[in-house]
């Protein structure tokens, strides 16, 4: 039986959505307030979903403590209270939209999971706006 377990995490980060090769006016017309040259923050909520078989020995799909520590080390410690555009290497040349962030988070977590597990990442940028990437 394949079961999905989920772990929620939280971080605050600042970003600016813009393209260096576009004018300020073009950036503002496409990205709106998220293109503010002075940056702005979001309270991001991350949910990592792991799907796999229940281990008959432990009754777990995956030890939640291991998942918690993995998210803390690979995502929260890297992103929390950071300016994503300037301080997080993945976003130096990649616009830190929620879409791109979900892909980056997936790529940072997947190498550390059992290869029999499927990962899906849901990232809330606001309580009403969220994206999901499942590989
Ligand atoms: Ni924004």
């Amino acid at each position: 039986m394949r079961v999905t377990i989920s772990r929620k995490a939280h971080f605050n980060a600042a970003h600016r959505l813009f393209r260096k090769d576009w004018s300020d006016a073009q950036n503002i017309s496409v990205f709106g307030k998220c293109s503010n040259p002075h940056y702005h923050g979001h309270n991001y909520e991350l949910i990592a979903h792991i799907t796999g078989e229940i281990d008959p020995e432990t009754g777990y799909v995956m030890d939640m403590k291991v998942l918690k520590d993995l998210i803390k080390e690979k995502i929260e410690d890297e992103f929390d209270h950071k300016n994503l555009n300037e301080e997080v290497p993945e976003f130096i040349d990649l616009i830190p939209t929620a879409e791109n962030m979900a892909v980056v988070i997936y790529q940072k977590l997947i190498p550390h999971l059992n290869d029999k597990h499927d990962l899906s990442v849901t990232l809330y940028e606001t309580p009403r706006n969220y994206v999901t990437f499942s590989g």
Side-chain angles (χ1 to χ4, degrees), residues 20 60 72 92:
K20 292 167 193 162
Y60 287 163
K72 165 93 170 60
I92 300 293

Side-chain angles (χ1 to χ4, degrees), residues 15-17 33-35 40-42 44 96 125:
H15 75 169
R16 179 188 176 200
L17 305 185
K33 285 197 285 190
C34 271
S35 194
H40 63 278
H42 290 283
Y44 290 97
E125 188 172 77

Side-chain angles (χ1 to χ4, degrees), residues 11 13-15 17 42 44 46 75 79 84 91 94-108 121 123 125 131 133:
F11 57 92
H15 75 169
L17 305 185
H42 290 283
Y44 290 97
L46 167 65
I75 310 301
F79 290 7
L84 298 173
F91 300 113
L94 181 67
I95 303 172
T97 57
E99 290 89 331
N100 282 334
M101 290 174 68
V103 172
V104 166
I105 290 167
Y106 179 98
Q107 289 168 342
K108 288 170 84 74
V121 166
L123 183 70
E125 188 172 77
V131 305
F133 181 64

